[in-house]
Amino acid sequence: MAHLLMVESWVGSMSRLLPRAIRESGHEFTFLTRDLHHYLRSAPEGTAHPLLGARHVITADTNDTEALLPRVERLHAVLGVDGVLTSCDYYLPTVAAVAERLGLPGPSAQGVRDACRKDATRRVLADAGVPGPRFAVHEEWAELARAAREIGYPLVVKPVDLCAGMYVRRVDDEGQLADAVRALAGFPVNARGQRRVPAVLLEELLDGPEVSVETVSHAGAVQVVGVTDKSVGGAPAFIETGHMFPADLPAARAEAAEQTALAALKALGLTEGVVAHTEIKLTSAGPRVVEVNPRPAGNRITELIRHVTGIDLAAAFVDVCLGRAPDLGRTDTGLRSAAVGFLVPDRAGTLEALDGSGLRSRPDVLEVQLAEPGRQVKAAGSNNEYLGHVMAGDAEGTGARARVEALLAEVRSGLVIR
């Protein structure tokens, strides 16, 4: 039995998948958090959050890495930590620093820091010749306006240190750019109480569909698990509305996406102890890297992969964090594709009606999760405002996405927001 240290977590699906994977692998974990109530609030009424199944729950200021490192060293001396991990993007650099300080398995701390800063990722990949969009990074308005004119509209405005599509916007002129920069400046502290970097990233708007490449790195080798497709809506925001695994692509295009992702991981030095989710645009000029996430994919992609291949990426994440070879053997699950679609609200109000109970008994439906009536709703601006999701599989081929879209249409027909 190994003992893992989990430093914070998302409160979504990975906050349940990781504790389960640790438990089913025969291990235990200690949970380190600065705000336990953040997780208590997210658990359904009358239930305990899976993170509270930790052997120990310890409160510490996880936002102060310099103060945290000596404290973790003292904990390690008492508890004997074998590996350290998190599912939350905002704490990936902290976990990498802890692993480095304690001499535990893990990816390059510098590589993780670069991957978690979108501007650093752009610079590292550009220096290595890995294809991406034209870009510029500035803090001052005059420099941003000048760089935008040089890149050319339309373009994409991004924060350098947020996730889930927060404040990522398409802008078509200088007025829209000013609005986007102003909105970003009004969000100086992220949801975990960390002060943000004021730099703004401008990128060329890329054409073509977007996919992600899911990989597992261990002992200097990177193995591709597969390619997932993505649908995006909510313009001018970029909100993920659904995914399918595997992506319905010609073999040559899938291979090109995989090779681009592998080049990006190599450039960042992320070839050891990491499960990664690399987003790629399949443009008319070839694959271009959108971003590299040094953690398992969210938005139920890990479960799509498990349903189709039998591979448990949460368990693989636990293994590589312990320095152990992950089990990436495929099994015949009876499914050839699986897809998830998200219910994205386009207006604000109170959710009065939303019923998907009739979907749960359908033979091809894998998951249905919908918000309860009475919830306050706002028009979605990122991946954080979903009203639920539907997941379905296809035993014959790549028909799962079409099936999910039909099921979501049924759900939307009964959606009432006032």
Side-chain angles (χ1 to χ4, degrees):
M1 176 187 289
H3 187 183
L4 290 115
L5 178 65
M6 188 184 299
V7 182
E8 303 291 2
S9 169
W10 286 127
V11 296
S13 60
M14 196 55 67
S15 71
R16 291 160 173 79
L17 295 177
L18 265 186
R20 185 207 70 196
I22 293 170
R23 183 179 66 254
E24 292 181 354
S25 299
H27 308 314
E28 60 184 7
F29 70 101
T30 288
F31 184 51
L32 197 63
T33 178
R34 64 186 289 270
D35 180 11
L36 183 57
H37 291 285
H38 183 80
Y39 304 94
L40 296 175
R41 289 191 296 269
S42 69
E45 187 174 350
T47 66
H49 198 287
L51 292 167
L52 302 186
R55 178 179 173 183
H56 308 285
V57 177
I58 298 174
T59 301
D61 187 355
T62 52
N63 285 349
D64 186 345
T65 303
E66 291 307 309
L68 185 66
L69 290 174
R71 179 162 189 189
V72 169
E73 283 183 314
R74 294 192 293 272
L75 286 174
H76 180 44
V78 174
L79 301 177
V81 175
D82 301 297
V84 57
L85 77 175
T86 186
S87 63
C88 182
D89 297 53
Y90 299 136
Y91 296 96
L92 289 165
T94 301
V95 161
V98 169
E100 187 174 76
R101 174 69 71 94
L102 299 183
L104 297 173
S108 155
Q110 184 61 54
V112 172
R113 286 194 294 270
D114 287 342
C116 290
R117 277 283 301 267
K118 293 179 175 66
D119 54 337
T121 300
R122 284 279 166 253
R123 292 184 180 111
V124 170
L125 298 189
D127 289 346
V130 179
R134 291 177 294 132
F135 71 96
V137 186
H138 297 290
E139 293 186 17
E140 299 301 324
W141 167 250
E143 294 174 318
L144 285 167
R146 175 184 53 77
R149 291 190 293 270
E150 290 174 356
I151 295 172
Y153 294 98
L155 49 76
V156 181
V157 178
K158 293 182 177 181
V160 299
D161 53 1
L162 290 176
C163 49
M166 293 183 68
Y167 292 92
V168 178
R169 297 290 184 270
R170 169 180 169 146
V171 297
D172 293 301
D173 54 43
E174 193 164 294
Q176 292 179 8
L177 174 62
D179 290 342
V181 170
R182 191 179 304 113
L184 191 51
F187 191 72
V189 178
N190 69 25
R192 296 305 181 98
Q194 299 168 335
R195 182 155 291 279
R196 293 192 47 257
V197 175
V200 176
L201 175 62
L202 305 181
E203 293 181 355
E204 167 193 10
L205 180 67
L206 298 173
D207 65 356
E210 187 170 331
V211 299
S212 62
V213 181
E214 324 307 335
T215 55
V216 179
S217 304
H218 173 69
V222 184
Q223 184 165 338
V224 175
V225 174
V227 180
T228 311
D229 77 7
K230 177 185 298 188
S231 55
V232 177
F238 295 84
I239 302 171
E240 296 177 359
T241 60
H243 303 281
M244 184 172 73
F245 182 90
D248 186 10
L249 291 173
R253 294 195 87 188
E255 172 70 14
E258 292 172 6
Q259 292 303 314
T260 302
L262 292 174
L265 292 168
K266 181 179 179 181
L268 288 162
L270 296 175
T271 59
E272 176 64 48
V274 64
V275 176
H277 168 72
T278 303
E279 297 176 352
I280 305 283
K281 270 276 197 177
L282 300 176
T283 78
S284 54
R288 298 290 184 267
V289 176
V290 175
E291 62 185 39
V292 179
N293 300 282
R295 43 83 179 154
N299 260 1
R300 307 305 288 163
I301 292 173
T302 54
E303 289 301 273
L304 298 181
I305 291 169
R306 183 180 63 83
H307 281 300
V308 174
T309 69
I311 295 172
D312 186 341
L313 284 181
F317 187 37
V318 171
D319 284 334
V320 298
C321 288
L322 291 169
R324 302 179 182 185
D327 179 5
L328 299 180
R330 295 172 181 254
T331 58
D332 186 353
T333 65
L335 293 180
R336 296 295 172 263
S337 67
V340 63
F342 301 100
L343 193 60
V344 181
D346 59 3
R347 60 191 183 279
T350 301
L351 179 62
E352 290 199 358
L354 180 59
D355 183 14
S357 57
L359 305 183
R360 301 179 195 277
S361 59
R362 308 278 181 90
D364 55 349
V365 172
L366 302 171
E367 292 180 9
V368 178
Q369 181 179 319
L370 300 173
E372 294 291 331
R375 172 172 161 176
Q376 293 302 303
V377 178
K378 65 177 182 178
S382 71
N383 298 341
N384 293 325
E385 287 91 30
Y386 298 138
L387 293 180
H389 69 265
V390 177
M391 185 187 295
D394 179 19
E396 303 299 326
T398 55
R401 173 179 286 284
R403 183 62 182 138
V404 161
E405 289 173 353
L407 293 167
L408 274 179
E410 289 186 39
V411 173
R412 289 191 192 99
S413 68
L415 171 65
V416 179
I417 299 174
R418 288 199 173 93

